[in-house]
Amino acid sequence: MRSVALLFLVCFYFSCSGNKDQEVLEGQTLFSEPKEIERTTKKIESKEFFDSSAYRKYMASDSIKLIGQVISVARSKKFLDRFALDSSLEIKVSINKKFLINHEVHFFKDSIQSKNAFYNWIDEEKHRIVGDKRSFGAYHNIFILTEKNFQIFNAKQKLNEIQFKKLATYFSHSDRIIFFLVGNKKETIWYNINQNNSIEEINEISK
């Protein structure tokens, strides 16, 4: 009688476990979809991301010597973005806990897009032409146009041209500078950058 009861329990156990094994598994639990793999391995350019710690260290480097903290980082949606890639940045930085700097960076595919965006920005948004000495506003500004980006620095305090020209290389280390503008609430000075990296003021208004 014991052997019959034992046999019954054994059969009952295997019948239950057999039902569990028959459960259908979704294909995703066994194989990853090709689209998912492609999405995770897609090459993304470094400028799509922003490392605030690396940026802060770059500011504090021996050649720049700006001690500051990154307060916020956002994707800017302004006039230039109808030409720019989806990686435009707006960075707010506090320098020595004394004054605030706004740093905009607009990235472009090539020098043609970069120049087109800049000329349209000058003409349509600022109502200026290249070499116009009029001020761009009440703040101190530095504008740097390179072959693949356009960077804007502005603050209430005067900005050191050399320091911020070097800081701009965080995003455009090897790009040639096309225009370099320094402005305040009174006037704007335009410069060309020569091949030897020297700055030459634009004397005549021309486009």
Side-chain angles (χ1 to χ4, degrees):
M1 191 69 181
R2 281 184 183 175
S3 59
V4 173
L6 182 60
L7 180 62
F8 175 78
L9 290 173
V10 171
C11 292
F12 178 78
Y13 172 79
F14 280 106
S15 65
C16 291
S17 60
N19 290 335
K20 290 181 180 179
D21 291 340
Q22 290 175 2
E23 183 179 353
V24 178
L25 297 176
E26 294 183 5
Q28 290 181 346
T29 61
L30 299 176
F31 303 100
S32 298
E33 292 182 356
K35 290 183 179 179
E36 191 68 22
I37 294 175
E38 183 179 344
R39 185 158 53 245
T40 55
T41 58
K42 179 182 177 183
K43 182 181 178 181
I44 301 175
E45 293 181 87
S46 60
K47 62 175 173 279
E48 293 288 343
F49 302 94
F50 179 72
D51 186 340
S52 59
S53 176
Y55 180 88
R56 181 172 52 82
K57 289 179 181 178
Y58 198 81
M59 281 197 306
S61 61
D62 292 339
S63 62
I64 302 175
K65 295 181 179 179
L66 282 171
I67 308 302
Q69 293 291 333
V70 175
I71 296 175
S72 66
V73 180
R75 301 296 179 188
S76 59
K77 292 296 178 184
K78 297 184 178 181
F79 171 81
L80 283 171
D81 288 295
R82 68 187 174 97
F83 296 96
L85 303 172
D86 292 333
S87 50
S88 297
L89 293 171
E90 186 169 348
I91 308 160
K92 293 189 183 299
V93 183
S94 173
I95 302 296
N96 291 323
K97 298 181 179 180
K98 292 181 180 179
F99 64 99
L100 186 68
I101 293 173
N102 188 62
H103 182 190
E104 290 181 35
V105 192
H106 301 272
F107 299 96
F108 302 95
K109 182 180 179 181
D110 52 39
S111 60
I112 295 174
Q113 286 189 2
S114 180
K115 288 178 182 178
N116 284 342
F118 177 76
Y119 290 138
N120 277 276
W121 176 77
I122 286 291
D123 181 33
E124 295 181 27
E125 183 172 308
K126 298 301 180 182
H127 308 292
R128 303 282 194 274
I129 60 176
V130 172
D132 196 327
K133 298 287 186 180
R134 288 178 294 170
S135 172
F136 278 84
Y139 290 96
H140 292 273
N141 303 291
I142 292 177
F143 304 93
I144 304 174
L145 177 69
T146 73
E147 293 175 307
K148 290 188 178 180
N149 66 49
F150 178 55
Q151 299 189 47
I152 301 171
F153 297 94
N154 61 63
K156 290 183 178 180
Q157 289 79 5
K158 189 178 186 301
L159 301 171
N160 183 298
E161 293 93 336
I162 296 174
Q163 284 180 315
F164 288 94
K165 180 174 176 287
K166 289 179 179 178
L167 180 56
T169 62
Y170 181 84
F171 294 102
S172 57
H173 184 68
S174 59
D175 291 347
R176 181 177 66 88
I177 294 177
I178 301 169
F179 287 120
F180 186 88
L181 289 70
V182 180
N184 54 42
K185 63 182 179 181
K186 293 182 179 180
E187 66 175 351
T188 299
I189 300 174
W190 293 66
Y191 299 92
N192 273 327
I193 307 297
N194 297 324
Q195 290 184 348
N196 62 1
N197 209 33
S198 62
I199 297 176
E200 181 181 55
E201 185 174 346
I202 299 176
N203 295 318
E204 296 181 0
I205 297 178
S206 60
K207 190 168 185 177

